Amino acid sequence: MMNLNGHLLYLDITQRCGVDCSFCMYADKHRNGINFQMSDTASQNLRALINDPSVKRVSVSGEGEPLNNVAVFHQILQLSAGSQAFEFISSGFWPHDMLTDFIEVTDRQVHGNGDKCNIRLSGDSYHMEKIRHKPHGFCLDYWLKTPPDALSLSFRSVDTDRDFTRAYLLEQLAEYGWDGRVEPHGELDDILWAGGQSFRIDYKNHVNPSPSTPPGYLDLADYISALESKVGKPFTLGSLNPHPCENGIDLTMKPDGRVYLYGAENVLLGNIHHDVFSWDGLRQRIADTPLLRQLYTTPLQELLDRLDGDLTASRIISEANNPYWVVKNLSQEPDLIERMIAG
């Protein structure tokens, strides 16, 4: 069986969103989107997956805004047996009084379970122009004055917006009377310092950049190179862990319960409401499926080099501009996938 450890369980709990960001890859799902609803079988599956010692993090977000299904997020937290790391990725669009209630309820639950949870707020210009109740300065002020017991705070942005994000967060701090500074940390992350505390800022490369996207974003090859520098080894699909740790499985659950490996979404693994999942079973599925085995064991750049000179592949790589979305889009071209596998 393949050596895979340090898994990421990514739970998309909603397709609903009213923020309407112009770069959103899931905007077509928002009008008639669904919320994930917990079933008995889903609860049993998630409990087993969450509490396995091979899991490094459970990340909760959505093809929409997860605050639109926060009750299910708290149900997911209840499944933990303790000593687990959770993450909640959000625009934080709620009014500040509702956001305070959310922080306090979540902190009590996470602390009571003996877990940790990172609240990760989007901090790019695409979100900021849409969000009426700006959460960033409010949350920073909250963390600096009354740090929660079990919650940390961080931010995420797109790589074209580094200067915007840095300036915006410092302006937000100043509005609440705090001085801050941003310490650059490589191509994909910064550290925001204020009041003796540090807050991470992560940058993702721009997916599906339009012709109007400002210059400055990393192309796919540069983004893969930046990821490899960050973890100290070649990039393969899955959950990246720093050298010398083994990589893990990157498992994604959609709001309707369908389960995939992130990026390889042409291979349906089953449904969380009807099938039984285990990390050992998933390891075996990867080992037994030629495409998945290649994606998890061969550096992605090497696989893409096998398609060098193909105009369709070149177009997909340029347009998607993200390793997971490139694989997802290439999977719609069976001949290209066969060439990647064959070598």
Side-chain angles (χ1 to χ4, degrees), residues 291 294-296 298-308 339-341:
L291 172 61
Q294 285 274 24
L295 290 172
Y296 267 68
T298 306
L300 181 60
Q301 192 59 61
E302 180 180 326
L303 294 177
L304 295 179
D305 287 344
R306 296 175 183 177
L307 305 177
D308 191 41
R339 283 177 56 188
M340 284 176 59
I341 296 175

Side-chain angles (χ1 to χ4, degrees), residues 43 46-53 55 58 75-86 109-116:
S43 177
L46 291 175
R47 189 185 303 277
L49 292 171
I50 288 169
N51 292 306
D52 192 288
V55 175
V58 180
Q75 289 177 2
I76 291 168
L77 292 177
Q78 290 173 1
L79 299 175
S80 172
S83 301
Q84 187 52 268
F86 288 88
Q109 184 173 354
V110 173
H111 181 65
N113 285 348
D115 294 323
K116 297 291 184 182

Side-chain angles (χ1 to χ4, degrees), residues 21-93:
C21 294
S22 57
F23 84 124
C24 183
M25 292 84 74
Y26 300 109
D28 60 318
K29 301 178 184 292
H30 294 165
R31 182 180 297 274
N32 299 306
I34 63 171
N35 276 341
F36 176 75
Q37 299 295 324
M38 191 73 72
S39 65
D40 289 343
T41 302
S43 177
Q44 293 168 12
N45 274 317
L46 291 175
R47 189 185 303 277
L49 292 171
I50 288 169
N51 292 306
D52 192 288
S54 63
V55 175
K56 69 175 180 182
R57 186 169 73 253
V58 180
S59 187
V60 178
S61 187
E63 295 177 338
E65 168 51 61
L67 286 174
N68 289 320
N69 197 14
V70 73
V72 160
F73 170 56
H74 288 141
Q75 289 177 2
I76 291 168
L77 292 177
Q78 290 173 1
L79 299 175
S80 172
S83 301
Q84 187 52 268
F86 288 88
E87 179 178 55
F88 187 79
I89 303 173
S90 171
S91 69
F93 76 100

